[in-house]
Amino acid sequence: MTVGEWIDRCARPVPAAFRGRLNAEGPASLDALLAAAEAELRACVGGAARDRASAFSLLAADAYVTYACLWTMTEGAPGDLRRIAERITREWARENTA
């Protein structure tokens, strides 16, 4: 199952206007969801302008982190929530100190 298929199978559907932003590819996994969140954080922070595109990237990053937490609650292992927090914090720090 791909990341997109997994998102589409979640109990609450993503609004159609936003679903196109969540276009991570590859097999669904915690690491795939976190990689997608990291990519969106880079897109958000990396731009010089704080524009609409940056806002949508931040929303997408938040959605992927939320889905990573949901994945952990249903399929994960002990310690995965801590791993999510540490990995996203590292990415945010790297992007904001570069």
Side-chain angles (χ1 to χ4, degrees):
M1 174 181 345
T2 67
V3 171
E5 290 168 338
W6 186 83
I7 288 171
D8 290 338
R9 290 184 183 190
C10 288
R12 301 220 168 149
V14 177
F18 187 65
R19 178 61 183 88
R21 290 287 310 184
L22 303 177
N23 55 10
E25 297 180 7
S29 69
L30 177 57
D31 286 324
L33 291 163
L34 290 175
E38 290 167 338
E40 292 293 345
L41 279 175
R42 285 189 296 276
C44 171
V45 176
R50 301 290 178 165
D51 57 9
R52 186 178 181 100
S54 293
F56 277 108
S57 289
L58 183 58
L59 284 172
D62 178 65
Y64 282 125
V65 170
T66 299
Y67 284 127
C69 293
L70 180 59
W71 175 277
T72 296
M73 300 309 291
T74 60
E75 322 241 351
D80 280 347
L81 288 175
R82 179 181 303 273
R83 187 162 68 102
I84 291 167
E86 290 171 350
R87 187 165 162 181
I88 296 302
T89 301
R90 262 193 318 272
E91 183 64 33
W92 181 259
R94 178 178 25 241
E95 291 302 319
N96 283 293
T97 58

